[in-house]
């Protein structure tokens, strides 16, 4: 049997041994888990996983390789991957490289051979916490010392946001959208392009005045990593522009819109990550199966003092999944209607945004 060459150590002292793949490096991240059965390429390239190491609960990862058309960002910033079984011989006519090759190219480490069921239960019971991926020779005492000395950075959105504006145009467009990039997924832009929108993507710290100078028909607030309260620049923009333009937010965008209206957010014990979360649409009573990826949620009691109405709720834990201010033409959801691969139940939300633009 092949000998273990890597291990992870959690800040409470738990250790798990495995085999390294991807980049050969040490790293300290926040540990989280994702319950998706497919889509590891989209997960690895999702900017929302910045400074996080993701445990994949599906047991076989890497079996269809990496393709050129399925990235969610051009420059991945995920902290690392933890899997049960890694497959380095993909069976897929579209694949151009293996997952390990992709991770190595982008300096991202991975570890396989871990008991991911046990590790996921630990995260569910004790919550997300810091994890150190290191060489098998590192002692537990040394690992715990490094975990104590190193904090997870708070600059996640600044790290992943574009540095200057860029454009994604479509033929015969009808609307011009300004998308504030806090870690935007490319399939969000594709979803807007498909509905006749030219999209101007701007950095997270773009001012309201600069956005207005672009003469948008509507504004989109993207997903992204980290604590929404750290992104004060975007919260300020929402306060200044609400009521002037239709505004649509997804994930981190949902949290920032809620904060701009005076609500509060809080960190979940282990977050929501995966493509199988049932959400109740309170407006029509239908249940949507959704894809999610977030650590924070909007506090329901704090919404009572705002002009926002709750539109969606999570069936599993009753957390807020969507809010709206009809007067200001502002709405947002916590989950991902653009998820790819993933459930398609929520694509209507983009159509709702387009209808607001028409009006």
């Amino acid at each position: 049997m092949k000998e273990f060459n890597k291990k992870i150590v959690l800040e409470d002292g738990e250790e798990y041994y495995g085999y390294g793949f991807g980049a050969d490096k040490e790293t300290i991240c926040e540990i989280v888990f994702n319950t998706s059965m497919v889509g590891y390429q989209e997960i690895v390239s999702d900017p929302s996983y910045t400074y996080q190491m993701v445990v994949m609960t599906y047991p076989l990862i890497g079996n269809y390789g990496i393709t050129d058309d399925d990235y969610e960002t051009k420059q991945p910033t995920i902290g690392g991957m933890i899997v049960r079984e890694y497959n380095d011989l993909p069976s897929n006519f579209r694949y151009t490289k293996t997952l390990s090759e992709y991770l190595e190219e982008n300096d991202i480490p991975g570890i396989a051979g871990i008991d991911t069921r046990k590790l996921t239960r630990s995260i569910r019971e004790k919550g997300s916490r810091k994890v150190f991926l290191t060489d098998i020779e590192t002692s537990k005492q040394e690992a715990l010392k490094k975990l104590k000395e190193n904090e997870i950075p708070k600059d996640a959105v600044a790290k992943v946001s574009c540095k200057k504006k860029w454009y994604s145009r479509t033929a015969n467009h009808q609307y011009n959208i300004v998308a504030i990039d806090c870690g935007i997924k490319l399939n969000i832009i594709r979803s807007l392009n498909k509905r006749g929108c030219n999209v101007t993507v701007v950095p997270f710290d773009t001012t309201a005045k600069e956005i207005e100078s672009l003469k948008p028909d509507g504004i989109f607030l993207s997903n992204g990593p980290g604590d929404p309260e750290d992104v004060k620049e975007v919260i300020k923009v929402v306060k200044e522009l609400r009521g002037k333009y239709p505004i649509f937010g997804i994930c981190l965008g949902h949290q920032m819109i809620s904060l701009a209206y005076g609500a509060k957010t809080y960190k979940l014990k282990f977050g929501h990550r995966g493509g199988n979360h049932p959400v109740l649409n309170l407006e029509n009573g239908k249940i949507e199966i959704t894809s999610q990826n977030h650590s924070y949620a909007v506090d329901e009691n704090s919404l009572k003092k705002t002009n926002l109405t709750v539109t969606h709720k999570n069936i599993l834990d009753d957390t807020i999944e969507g809010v709206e201010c009809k007067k200001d033409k502002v709405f947002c959801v916590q989950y991902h209607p653009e998820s790819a691969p993933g459930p398609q139940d929520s694509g209507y939300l983009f159509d709702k945004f387009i209808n607001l633009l028409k009006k």
Side-chain angles (χ1 to χ4, degrees):
M1 182 179 169
K2 186 176 156 187
E3 288 190 9
F4 295 130
N5 63 355
K6 295 287 182 180
K7 71 177 180 178
I8 58 170
V9 182
L10 278 67
E11 61 181 315
D12 60 349
E14 286 187 21
E15 287 183 296
Y16 297 81
Y17 298 87
Y19 312 99
F21 67 98
D24 183 13
K25 62 177 286 191
E26 291 185 334
T27 188
I28 292 176
C29 300
E30 178 187 22
I31 193 168
V32 298
F33 66 86
N34 188 297
T35 57
S36 298
M37 295 178 70
V38 291
Y40 59 77
Q41 177 174 346
E42 288 82 355
I43 290 165
V44 168
S45 60
D46 183 348
S48 296
Y49 287 109
T50 302
Y51 302 135
Q52 292 181 333
M53 198 174 300
V54 182
V55 181
M56 298 299 297
T57 62
Y58 190 74
L60 179 62
I61 301 296
N63 53 310
Y64 53 85
I66 296 288
T67 67
D68 290 336
D69 301 325
D70 296 340
Y71 297 117
E72 289 292 0
T73 186
K74 294 172 184 174
Q75 186 60 52
T77 51
I78 190 172
M81 289 205 84
I82 301 170
V83 306
R84 176 59 180 162
E85 181 182 347
Y86 170 67
N87 183 307
D88 208 38
L89 298 169
S91 176
N92 176 9
F93 74 96
R94 294 175 65 229
Y95 101 93
T96 53
K97 62 186 73 170
T98 67
L99 174 60
S100 185
E101 288 170 339
Y102 176 67
L103 293 180
E104 190 174 1
E105 283 175 13
N106 290 283
D107 200 32
I108 299 166
I111 183 169
I114 298 286
D115 184 346
T116 50
R117 292 179 68 179
K118 180 181 178 183
L119 180 53
T120 300
R121 282 198 299 270
S122 172
I123 298 168
R124 285 180 61 89
E125 289 166 8
K126 300 178 183 178
S128 300
R129 47 213 195 272
K130 282 190 290 186
V131 61
F132 183 31
L133 192 161
T134 184
D135 190 80
I136 194 75
E137 303 297 333
T138 306
S139 69
K140 183 192 282 191
Q141 291 73 19
E142 185 183 347
L144 290 173
K145 182 173 181 288
K146 286 192 176 182
L147 280 164
K148 191 174 182 180
E149 290 172 349
N150 289 271
E151 292 298 323
I152 307 297
K154 298 281 190 182
D155 64 343
V157 167
K159 179 180 173 71
V160 299
S161 180
C162 60
K163 300 303 180 269
K164 61 179 183 179
K165 68 174 181 285
W166 59 279
Y167 305 93
S168 180
R169 298 184 175 96
T170 187
N172 304 314
H173 83 282
Q174 293 180 285
Y175 307 104
N176 292 303
I177 303 300
V178 168
I180 301 176
D181 179 12
C182 296
I184 196 166
K185 292 169 68 177
L186 292 178
N187 207 47
I188 289 174
I189 297 171
R190 295 185 200 112
S191 298
L192 290 167
N193 286 158
K194 191 167 72 175
R195 290 167 172 82
C197 298
N198 277 350
V199 181
T200 303
V201 184
V202 299
F204 79 102
D205 56 357
T206 304
T207 65
K209 187 177 180 181
E210 290 170 317
I211 290 172
E212 287 191 283
S213 72
L214 297 170
K215 296 182 168 47
D217 297 306
I219 296 167
F220 177 82
L221 270 59
S222 85
N223 60 292
D227 186 340
E229 292 188 12
D230 291 338
V231 200
K232 293 180 171 52
E233 296 88 344
V234 180
I235 296 168
K236 182 173 184 285
V237 163
V238 175
K239 287 179 179 177
E240 292 178 21
L241 297 184
R242 62 188 177 190
K244 294 183 179 181
Y245 307 95
I247 300 177
F248 177 26
I250 288 175
C251 199
L252 183 69
H254 159 79
Q255 296 158 12
M256 294 184 297
I257 285 172
S258 299
L259 288 168
Y261 276 85
K264 297 185 183 303
T265 56
Y266 64 96
K267 190 168 186 179
L268 296 164
K269 186 176 180 181
F270 49 82
H272 297 161
R273 292 173 184 86
N276 44 15
H277 287 259
V279 168
L280 176 63
N281 184 325
L282 299 176
E283 295 178 317
N284 58 23
K286 290 183 178 179
I287 294 172
E288 302 168 27
I289 303 301
T290 71
S291 178
Q292 305 204 6
N293 172 20
H294 59 102
S295 295
Y296 291 81
V298 176
D299 177 64
E300 184 171 8
N301 288 328
S302 69
L303 284 168
K304 295 173 183 175
K305 300 174 184 177
T306 72
N307 293 327
L308 296 171
T309 303
V310 177
T311 57
H312 298 77
K313 273 197 166 186
N314 191 302
I315 288 177
L316 299 179
D317 61 7
D318 212 35
T319 51
I320 301 300
E321 294 283 358
V323 296
E324 180 177 33
C325 179
K326 288 189 176 180
K327 178 175 70 73
D328 291 342
K329 296 184 176 60
V330 173
F331 74 103
C332 51
V333 290
Q334 183 64 80
Y335 50 94
H336 287 267
E338 85 297 337
S339 59
Q344 303 298 303
D345 303 25
S346 310
Y348 71 90
L349 290 161
F350 286 102
D351 299 324
K352 177 176 178 174
F353 186 43
I354 298 302
N355 286 332
L356 288 178
L357 300 178
K358 286 178 183 175
K359 292 176 183 175

